């Protein structure tokens, strides 16, 4: 193989890749970054749809490793908008001086491990050939769009867009007849904004999702300074304890409160906004009755906000709350009170086909000029599949994960030497703070490489026994979770026996980090070095 040679290739220029490239470069390693988009941002580069913003408090969704970065950047709002996130990531990348390491507009097409020279051999869509000792996929866990595959789509004569591949140009909305398919986190953020602008908006909903108020507003004065004063402790506390939103402390089982007290806590949380609704009682994620207290409270709020009772019933979920990602909304339910918004329940009337002028459901044709798909992502391995990763046996990670994630720490898959996939299934991933998890994983990789250097090894690999142990630990954590019982993108269902594998580490960083630290301290239990 000819081509360039580096110690590490970092794939992805999002929040993880920016930190990873900085961290490895400072470790004295030669680094190349590969990014398909024209700039930094990762999923946020592509998620520029109307209303796009993060649904986690910005002070929990930013870098914590650098005092300079934390103190200099000021978040204007409680939840950062997509443009603010893009500005932040570009600013941080420049401050860390990693732009020069990256090749943009470059998609990784093939990555093969060769046992001949113990290197990963990469081929990009520009025909570049790169050899590297370590391959780190900072491609996130939700970044590869779910394909849009409705019959007749190619016939549509209007404009057709995806929320997670939103174009980098002005998209006129005013006065248009717009259709949107999908009411998850992305759809629910876009719908109120689209409703404001459109002549008419048709919302195609398959499953209603629970949505609670984000309660966005200006950033709380003083909070950032208070955290900055004790940044190192806050970071360490977050690693050791992060499961609870900042406003909650020591939740108790629902039944330990009187109905009046439950109501008071629910109302207070409603006003406070954010994901706290999923953590208000300690047993909400495991006990059906406790869960129903919260679920029915939210349904009651939906019924109070939506004027038409028939419409409200269609918007009310009937499964346990928090088993699919809770949506934080800004004016979502009020959008359905407008005269220019129609809700189509596709469980009653499925989408049959896309026509030249709109969407035909089982009972009606809906004329639209702009059709938006908010269908979500191919979770966890989607971006790794796309990059064409193959080990020496010509297997992809998906081949090895055929019955659910098979990893140690969600970071390495057995059979793939020197190959890391930060924040993937097996780690808290979509259930934890992503900046902090990426920092933790890149630090672990950098420490592991330093350990190899000291001990004269060049190859690290997760062992089969390590993956067995980690799989059992992960399954034990998820055993009682209601989330595992409800179909959602976090659950892998085996077709042959119907067994269900909850893919993320289900109990947050609070249990994950101590496990990782303990196994690492036991001489990298779960890994083999050569
Ligand atoms: P999502 O939550 O997976 O929602 C996808 C939506 O599309 C669902 O309503 C789904 O219906 C529908 N859908 C998918 N395929 C369909 C089909 N063939 N026919 C009809 N409907 C279909 O995706 P997302 O909204 O992009 O969000 C994904 C994740 O990204 C979130 O869970 C969150 O973690 C993250 N996210 C975060 C933010 C943020 O921080 N602000 C914003 C957006 C996304 P069903 O429910 O019936 O499957």
């Amino acid at each position: 193989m000819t081509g360039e040679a580096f110690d590490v290739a970092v794939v992805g220029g999002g929040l993880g890749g920016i930190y990873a490239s900085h961290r490895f470069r400072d470790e004295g390693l030669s680094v190349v970054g590969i990014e398909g988009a024209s700039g930094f941002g990762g999923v946020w580069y592509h998620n520029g749809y109307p209303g796009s913003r993060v649904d986690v408090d910005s002070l929990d969704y930013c870098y914590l490793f650098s005092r300079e970065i934390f103190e200099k950047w000021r978040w204007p709002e409680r939840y950062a908008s997509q443009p603010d996130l893009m500005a932040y990531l570009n600013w941080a990348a420049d401050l860390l001086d990693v732009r020069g390491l990256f090749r943009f507009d470059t998609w990784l097409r093939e990555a093969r491990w060769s046992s001949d020279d113990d290197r990963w051999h990469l081929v990009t869509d520009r025909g570049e050939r790169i050899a590297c000792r370590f391959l780190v996929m900072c491609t996130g866990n939700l970044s590869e769009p779910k394909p849009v595959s409705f019959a007749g789509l190619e016939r549509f004569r209007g404009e057709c867009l995806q929320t997670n591949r939103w174009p980098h140009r002005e998209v006129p909305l005013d006065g248009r007849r717009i259709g949107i398919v999908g009411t998850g986190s992305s759809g629910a953020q876009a719908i109120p904004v689209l409703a404001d602008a459109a002549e008419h908006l048709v919302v195609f909903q398959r499953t209603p999702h629970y949505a609670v108020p984000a309660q966005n507003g200006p950033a709380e004065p003083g909070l950032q300074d208070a955290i900055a004063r004790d940044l190192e402790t806050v970071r360490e506390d977050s690693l050791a304890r992060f499961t609870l939103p900042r406003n909650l402390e020591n939740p108790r089982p629902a039944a330990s409160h009187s109905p009046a007290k439950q109501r008071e806590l629910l109302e207070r949380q409603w006003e406070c906004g954010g994901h706290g609704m999923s953590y208000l009682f300690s047993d909400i994620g495991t006990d059906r009755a406790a869960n129903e207290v919260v679920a029915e409270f939210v349904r009651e709020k939906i019924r109070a906000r939506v004027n038409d009772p028939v419409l409200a019933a269609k918007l009310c979920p009937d499964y346990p709350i928090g088993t699919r990602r809770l949506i934080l909304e800004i004016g979502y339910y009020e959008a359905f009170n407008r005269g220019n918004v129609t809700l189509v329940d596709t469980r009653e009337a499925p989408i049959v086909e896309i026509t030249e002028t709109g969407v035909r459901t089982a009972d009606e044709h809906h004329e639209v000029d702009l059709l938006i798909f908010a269908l979500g992502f191919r979770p966890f391995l989607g971006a790794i599949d796309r990059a064409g990763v193959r080990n020496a046996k010509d297997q992809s990670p998906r081949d090895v994960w055929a019955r659910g994630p098979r990893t140690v720490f969600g970071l390495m898959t057995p059979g793939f030497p020197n190959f890391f996939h930060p924040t993937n299934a097996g780690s808290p991933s979509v259930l934890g703070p992503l900046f902090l998890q990426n920092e933790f994983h890149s630090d672990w990789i950098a420490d592991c490489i330093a350990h190899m250097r000291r001990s004269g090894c060049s190859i690290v690999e997760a062992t089969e026994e390590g993956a067995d142990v980690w799989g059992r630990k992960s399954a034990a954590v998820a055993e009682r979770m209601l989330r595992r019982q409800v179909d959602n993108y976090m659950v892998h269902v085996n077709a042959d026996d119907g067994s269900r594998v909850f893919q993320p580490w289900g109990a947050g960083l609070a249990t994950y980090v101590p496990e990782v630290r303990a196994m690492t301290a036991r001489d990298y239990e779960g890994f083999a070095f050569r």
Side-chain angles (χ1 to χ4, degrees), residues 133-448:
R133 294 169 54 215
F134 300 97
L135 178 57
V136 184
M137 299 298 289
C138 291
T139 41
N141 37 47
L142 294 169
S143 56
E144 180 64 18
K146 187 174 170 183
V148 181
S149 57
F150 290 96
L153 186 63
E154 67 292 344
R155 292 207 303 265
F156 184 58
R157 288 203 311 253
E159 189 176 13
C160 186
L161 299 174
Q162 286 172 259
T163 48
N164 46 24
R165 283 292 179 271
W166 200 258
H168 283 237
R169 62 172 164 79
E170 201 60 41
V171 176
L173 301 173
D174 284 351
R176 294 179 87 177
R177 296 172 305 169
I178 304 175
I180 181 164
V181 186
T183 55
S185 303
S186 308
Q189 286 183 339
I191 284 163
V193 183
L194 298 173
D196 251 352
E199 179 198 302
H200 196 89
L201 176 69
V202 188
V203 177
F204 297 91
Q205 169 192 275
R206 190 165 66 179
T207 313
H209 294 237
Y210 289 96
V212 300
Q215 306 290 21
N216 190 31
E220 194 182 318
L223 181 56
Q224 189 165 349
D225 293 329
I227 295 173
R229 273 196 290 280
D230 216 2
L231 188 63
E232 289 73 21
T233 313
V234 170
R235 184 174 187 272
E236 191 48 37
D237 281 358
S238 302
L239 277 172
R241 288 200 228 125
F242 192 97
T243 28
L244 289 177
R246 208 170 267 115
N247 67 303
L248 289 181
E249 269 181 35
N250 303 324
R252 290 173 17 202
S256 71
H257 300 288
S258 67
K261 184 66 182 176
Q262 288 175 348
R263 182 86 202 180
E264 182 195 321
L265 292 170
L266 286 159
E267 291 286 2
R268 203 188 303 155
Q269 178 55 45
W270 187 264
E271 287 311 312
C272 177
H275 285 284
M277 199 58 91
S278 302
Y279 302 95
L280 196 57
F281 305 122
S282 58
D283 49 356
I284 183 176
T286 50
D287 183 87
R288 239 358 242 262
N291 188 286
E292 184 57 21
V293 171
V294 183
E296 185 50 26
F297 172 83
V298 174
R299 284 186 216 114
E300 194 187 308
K301 292 287 187 188
I302 297 171
R303 290 192 284 267
R305 286 169 67 183
V306 178
N307 299 339
D308 174 353
V310 176
L311 200 54
K314 289 181 180 176
L315 288 163
C316 280
D318 57 5
Y319 50 87
I321 189 168
T323 52
R324 313 177 96 215
R325 190 177 174 85
L326 188 67
I327 291 171
L328 302 194
E329 53 82 26
I330 302 174
Y332 179 63
Y333 291 110
E334 284 70 19
F336 293 96
N337 291 333
R338 303 174 63 118
N340 69 332
V341 176
T342 303
L343 179 74
V344 175
D345 184 339
T346 65
R347 288 182 305 185
E348 285 175 2
I351 295 174
V352 176
E353 61 171 351
I354 311 297
T355 68
E356 289 185 351
T357 56
V359 179
R360 189 183 310 286
T361 57
D363 59 359
E364 213 176 324
H365 184 258
H366 302 270
E367 299 262 330
V368 297
D369 333 295
L370 170 59
L371 189 49
I372 299 172
F373 292 100
L375 302 184
F377 299 89
R378 294 177 60 210
F380 304 118
L381 286 181
I384 292 178
D385 290 340
R386 179 182 178 155
V389 176
R390 291 283 182 283
N391 66 11
K393 293 184 191 160
D394 200 31
Q395 292 172 309
S396 69
R398 193 174 290 281
D399 294 331
V400 175
W401 290 26
R403 298 191 66 79
R406 185 155 174 76
T407 78
V408 179
F409 303 164
L411 193 51
M412 293 195 87
T413 295
F416 290 78
N418 292 4
F419 174 71
F420 302 91
H421 39 69
T423 74
N424 220 302
S427 73
S429 64
V430 294
L431 297 178
L434 281 166
F435 276 84
L436 191 57
Q437 285 188 82
N438 271 290
E439 290 180 23
F440 182 72
H441 279 162
S442 285
D443 289 349
W444 191 94
I445 297 166
D447 290 346
C448 177

